[in-house]
Amino acid sequence: MYKLPYFTEPDKSKVIAFIKANYFAVITGKGEEYPVATHIPLEIIEEDDRIKLIGHLMKNTDHHLAFLKDENVLVVFNGPHTHVSASWYEIKNVGSTWNYMTVHAKGKIRFKDEAATVEAVKRITDRYEGPDSPASFSKLPEAYISKLVKAISAFEITVESFDNVFKLSQNMSKTDQQSIISNLQKREDPGAHSIARIMKERL
């Protein structure tokens, strides 16, 4: 991870808020030849001073087999990002850059039994479908659920450490930061607008 003190968010509560807002994460582990990864929505649970990540995945995939073999995983939470042009700086003949926000969580993955898998499917279905949807968990046939939980497995990751990069031009002058914000607001892409808004909040 690209680590510099002025791009690191020291406030743990802000880091937790970030991962809760960007919960569609990438879980990576050690494969046989190459690293493996899977993209999964996660439930973030705070228990005392610990953070647990809850989800489920398909059994017997390359990542499932790798996680069974080695429980140590890295979870990557990505947020907004955008190109920042050096033409917006007071001194313009320097390199342009990229502003972005990301959190890396390291921990151990544990797979759960069928009852926990049913609960994990229920939690995520209820969260996104709600009780009144025709696809709500309560409307799923029991035979379908029974077949489903044999093909997938719930898991829990206990987070052991966090790293983060909130790269928001903190190393630039206030004048340059204001210029960056102004120029990003003129762009059409949502990432530029999000970064501009967050930078403005931090000025």
Side-chain angles (χ1 to χ4, degrees):
M1 176 171 262
Y2 179 64
K3 291 281 289 179
L4 290 170
Y6 41 80
F7 294 146
T8 300
E9 174 54 62
D11 187 337
K12 185 179 178 181
S13 67
K14 291 181 179 178
V15 174
I16 302 303
F18 175 86
I19 68 171
K20 285 184 174 180
N22 297 278
Y23 47 82
F24 190 70
V26 181
I27 307 175
T28 68
K30 300 173 186 175
E32 293 296 331
E33 280 192 83
Y34 298 100
V36 295
T38 186
H39 301 250
I40 290 182
L42 296 172
E43 293 284 325
I44 292 91
I45 309 297
E46 296 183 73
E47 291 184 354
D48 301 320
D49 292 330
R50 305 301 297 272
I51 301 294
K52 292 184 177 180
L53 310 175
I54 310 295
H56 63 271
L57 52 75
M58 186 74 67
K59 291 179 179 177
N60 297 319
T61 54
D62 61 346
H63 47 273
H64 175 237
L65 296 174
F67 300 155
L68 283 172
K69 189 174 181 179
D70 190 328
E71 64 186 1
N72 296 304
V73 295
L74 171 68
V75 186
V76 180
F77 298 88
N78 285 315
H81 59 89
T82 190
H83 172 256
V84 174
S85 172
S87 67
W88 303 337
Y89 303 163
E90 287 184 287
I91 299 172
K92 304 180 187 303
N93 59 337
V94 295
S96 297
T97 191
W98 208 272
N99 277 4
Y100 65 96
M101 303 175 75
T102 189
V103 171
H104 289 188
K106 296 175 183 176
K108 297 188 183 301
I109 190 168
R110 301 275 198 282
F111 288 97
K112 315 295 274 186
D113 61 16
E114 283 193 8
T117 299
V118 171
E119 180 60 27
V121 174
K122 181 180 185 302
R123 287 178 67 141
I124 200 161
T125 303
D126 287 348
R127 176 172 179 174
Y128 295 106
E129 291 294 335
D132 299 324
S133 167
S136 68
F137 185 83
S138 64
K139 295 181 175 65
L140 299 179
E142 287 188 18
Y144 173 82
I145 295 170
S146 179
K147 184 178 179 180
L148 179 68
V149 298
K150 287 177 171 51
I152 64 176
S153 180
F155 62 82
E156 177 181 285
I157 299 170
T158 301
V159 177
E160 296 180 345
S161 66
F162 282 111
D163 281 317
N164 73 80
V165 175
F166 286 11
K167 186 173 179 294
L168 301 165
S169 299
Q170 298 97 320
N171 58 325
M172 306 302 293
S173 69
K174 293 296 183 185
T175 299
D176 281 346
Q177 290 185 49
Q178 289 167 342
S179 176
I180 292 165
I181 292 167
S182 176
N183 281 280
L184 289 178
Q185 289 172 334
K186 296 173 186 176
R187 287 188 173 168
E188 295 183 0
D189 65 287
H193 289 180
S194 293
I195 292 293
R197 175 182 53 79
I198 296 164
M199 288 181 63
K200 189 173 182 179
E201 289 171 355
R202 288 169 169 253
L203 275 180

